[in-house]
Amino acid sequence: MPEHQRSADELRGILSAYQIVMQASWPTLHSGMAEASRRWPTASAADLDAALTRYLQESTQSTQHVRVFWKLAPAFKFGGCNQLFADDAGLASPAVLIGIDDFDSRLPWGHQAAKYRLDDESVFKSGTPKLDILERQQSAAGITWVRAGKAPIRKPAGDVIGILGMYELLDSEEGRRLYAARNLKRRP
């Protein structure tokens, strides 16, 4: 499927959502993003697209190995992702994901698609990010622990047009340790 041509407003929304999730869980991922974000309000679509492309490449090459994706409402179809997310999906490239949703039979997390859709709808309807989520996920490589976050993608007038998510894989020991620590905190 051909890639959707993104407007400057859509790109600003994607980049702003990216920055929200990144700052909450991976603040060292793109050290120059805060400074660069000051130029986003007046940047052209081409400049914003180049920045997004650079951040997606850097997230793949970083030592943190953060996966990035976004979905556009109302159908919550994928609008883009980085290569690590495409790899987790078992697909050759990010372009293959554009225009499909979590229920697509090519994706390994089909049995979790309804849960993901509920999460997406919750972030979309509330306009509130869900940050530092700890959960198990099915990927092409098997079941693993992930630390994730999602934020609404907004147009300048504040309308929510989609969601952006990021996650990193955790080894089994770290996932169980973090899960146990969070459960202890929740007890009265």
Side-chain angles (χ1 to χ4, degrees), residues 46-122:
D47 289 342
L48 294 165
D49 194 55
L52 178 60
T53 299
R54 186 177 65 253
Y55 294 136
L56 292 173
Q57 289 171 344
E58 287 174 5
S59 65
T60 299
Q61 297 164 354
S62 80
T63 58
Q64 294 169 314
H65 304 291
V66 177
R67 282 79 171 146
V68 181
F69 64 91
W70 62 94
K71 302 173 190 173
L72 300 174
F76 296 101
K77 293 188 182 278
F78 288 100
C81 68
N82 68 359
Q83 184 61 49
L84 289 173
F85 185 84
D87 292 344
D88 286 353
L91 300 174
S93 74
V96 179
L97 250 79
I98 295 173
I100 67 173
D101 66 17
D102 287 310
F103 293 95
D104 190 283
S105 63
R106 291 173 284 182
L107 302 180
W109 51 78
H111 70 284
Q112 293 173 294
K115 178 201 177 304
Y116 293 157
R117 177 62 57 89
L118 287 173
D119 282 349
D120 297 344
E121 288 175 345
S122 172

Side-chain angles (χ1 to χ4, degrees), residues 12 14 39 50 56 58 67 71 84 146 155 168 171:
R12 284 182 193 99
I14 292 166
R39 295 186 296 277
L56 292 173
E58 287 174 5
R67 282 79 171 146
K71 302 173 190 173
L84 289 173
V146 299
K155 285 216 168 182
E168 69 177 324
D171 65 41

Side-chain angles (χ1 to χ4, degrees), residues 156-179:
D159 300 334
V160 179
I161 60 168
I163 63 98
L164 179 131
M166 297 173 71
Y167 67 92
E168 69 177 324
L169 303 179
L170 304 173
D171 65 41
S172 293
E173 184 178 320
E174 184 177 11
R176 283 192 298 272
R177 182 185 59 74
L178 289 171
Y179 187 77

Side-chain angles (χ1 to χ4, degrees), residues 5-9 11-12 42-51:
Q5 186 68 26
R6 295 181 287 262
S7 71
D9 285 345
L11 287 160
R12 284 182 193 99
T42 58
S44 69
D47 289 342
L48 294 165
D49 194 55

Side-chain angles (χ1 to χ4, degrees), residues 126-156:
S126 71
T128 304
K130 283 188 168 187
L131 302 171
D132 215 28
I133 304 163
L134 186 63
E135 62 189 6
R136 293 180 59 123
Q137 175 184 290
Q138 178 73 43
S139 73
I143 296 175
T144 187
W145 285 96
V146 299
R147 182 170 61 128
K150 291 181 178 180
I153 299 171
R154 295 181 183 277
K155 285 216 168 182

Side-chain angles (χ1 to χ4, degrees), residues 18-27 33-34:
Y18 191 130
Q19 186 176 30
I20 289 167
V21 179
M22 183 203 71
Q23 287 175 336
S25 297
W26 302 278
M33 185 182 261

